[in-house]
Amino acid sequence: MPIYAPTLPPAPDLNQGQPPALVLMRFDLARLWRQKIGRFFGFAFLMVLIVKLTVIYVKYLLDTNAALRPMQDFAKAVLSQGAEFQAGLLDPASYLLWFLVALVGGGLVARDTLYRVRPLMYAHPVSPRDYLVAKLGFASALPFAVLLPFVLLPWAMSLMVAGLHGPVWPTAPLRLLPAVAVLSLLMGAMAVGASAMAATPRAGVGWVLGLVLGTSALASLVQGLTGFVGAQALNPVLLAQTWPQLFVGMDRPFMGWFPAALGTAFHIGLWTFVAARRTLPSEAVI
């Protein structure tokens, strides 16, 4: 009897299913959920948010309660409703957020490097560009998701208790959300770039904190030696605080639009380039 070759199954259609970048982001989210890192940080961010909401309600009571009218002058000096107050909605959260981004973002690429899983990913329909987009997208979406309640909840509460004349401007989300997007992309790019240079997740955390604190110290050192104030554009912590001030129109922000845009573009471009080079197929195995 003739021997026939076995029938092979049809080739899979690679156009079906979710894009590879979204699949990788979903796996990173599931891994973050299993690590339970958000318990401590969730409690801390919740306390800061409760304080913000309490301040808004106190301001409303001072403006509407006749018994508290003698305290209005003091309240206006301490609890200003101007642009500084609007930008300050994000200040306490942004400091703590750097540590959360370091703990989570430091292992995004370093963990794959340690366990050598990138060759397996690249053997499947995952390109280096998909991998980079997934890591940058997840590292940037995390701070955006954390800061989003700090914009929307105070704004919603101000509208509910005081209407259009409340402590928070009715146009605050239109001003603050673009600032949150810019500083989230800055944090994500630095976290992924630092993680790409590390060999272990713990080292990745150190790399992220080292880059953030090191560039901040370098900017302050250059300013102290040369007197050049524009050197603070290298300070990522100061950049994250400056963008809300610029978008709400503060009279004296930490720096102007041009140095802030230049410094942010430098950091995003540099660390995205580093991450792209360190995640090439030739760098997939130590």
Side-chain angles (χ1 to χ4, degrees):
M1 294 180 58
I3 299 177
Y4 297 99
T7 304
L8 297 177
D13 187 3
L14 299 182
N15 295 322
Q16 295 181 355
Q18 297 179 345
L22 292 180
V23 175
L24 293 178
M25 291 177 64
R26 186 186 65 191
F27 283 137
D28 285 326
L29 179 61
R31 182 164 51 193
L32 175 63
W33 185 264
R34 289 194 302 269
Q35 290 176 344
K36 301 178 181 179
I37 296 177
R39 289 185 175 181
F40 167 76
F41 287 97
F43 177 78
F45 285 124
L46 180 61
M47 292 297 102
V48 175
L49 184 57
I50 290 176
V51 171
K52 288 291 182 183
L53 296 177
T54 304
V55 170
I56 292 173
Y57 189 68
V58 169
K59 290 172 66 65
Y60 166 71
L61 290 178
L62 291 173
D63 292 336
T64 57
N65 195 327
L68 300 176
R69 290 293 173 85
M71 299 180 60
Q72 283 188 356
D73 294 336
F74 175 75
K76 289 180 179 179
V78 178
L79 304 175
S80 173
Q81 296 183 202
E84 185 177 357
F85 176 77
Q86 315 302 317
L89 293 174
L90 304 178
D91 279 350
S94 63
Y95 285 109
L96 186 61
L97 191 57
W98 281 108
F99 292 95
L100 176 60
V101 170
L103 286 176
V104 176
L108 284 178
V109 180
R111 185 176 290 103
D112 297 337
T113 303
L114 176 63
Y115 295 107
R116 301 184 180 185
V117 297
R118 277 205 305 274
L120 299 177
M121 294 182 184
Y122 293 160
H124 290 77
V126 177
S127 64
R129 184 181 63 180
D130 294 330
Y131 183 84
L132 181 62
V133 169
K135 299 301 179 180
L136 283 174
F138 182 80
S140 301
L142 178 64
F144 187 89
V146 171
L147 292 177
L148 190 61
F150 286 86
V151 177
L152 297 182
L153 291 183
W155 170 74
M157 183 176 179
S158 178
L159 288 180
M160 286 189 297
V161 300
L164 298 179
H165 302 287
V168 181
W169 294 344
T171 59
L174 298 178
R175 298 169 179 267
L176 291 178
L177 288 180
V180 171
V182 174
L183 65 91
S184 297
L185 186 58
L186 171 65
M187 291 181 175
M190 293 195 69
V192 174
S195 181
M197 293 187 293
T200 63
R202 289 186 179 181
V205 176
W207 269 100
V208 177
L209 293 178
L211 287 180
V212 173
L213 299 178
T215 51
S216 301
L218 178 62
S220 300
L221 179 62
V222 172
Q223 180 184 1
L225 292 177
T226 63
F228 179 56
V229 182
Q232 288 296 332
L234 294 176
N235 188 338
V237 178
L238 199 62
L239 287 172
Q241 294 180 273
T242 300
W243 281 110
Q245 298 176 357
L246 292 175
F247 275 97
V248 299
M250 275 186 58
D251 294 333
R252 294 182 179 180
F254 290 143
M255 65 185 76
W257 283 92
F258 180 73
L262 190 62
T264 304
F266 169 78
H267 279 295
I268 294 176
L270 174 62
W271 302 119
T272 301
F273 174 77
V274 170
R277 294 293 300 176
R278 290 287 297 170
T279 55
L280 289 175
S282 58
E283 299 284 342
V285 179
I286 299 178

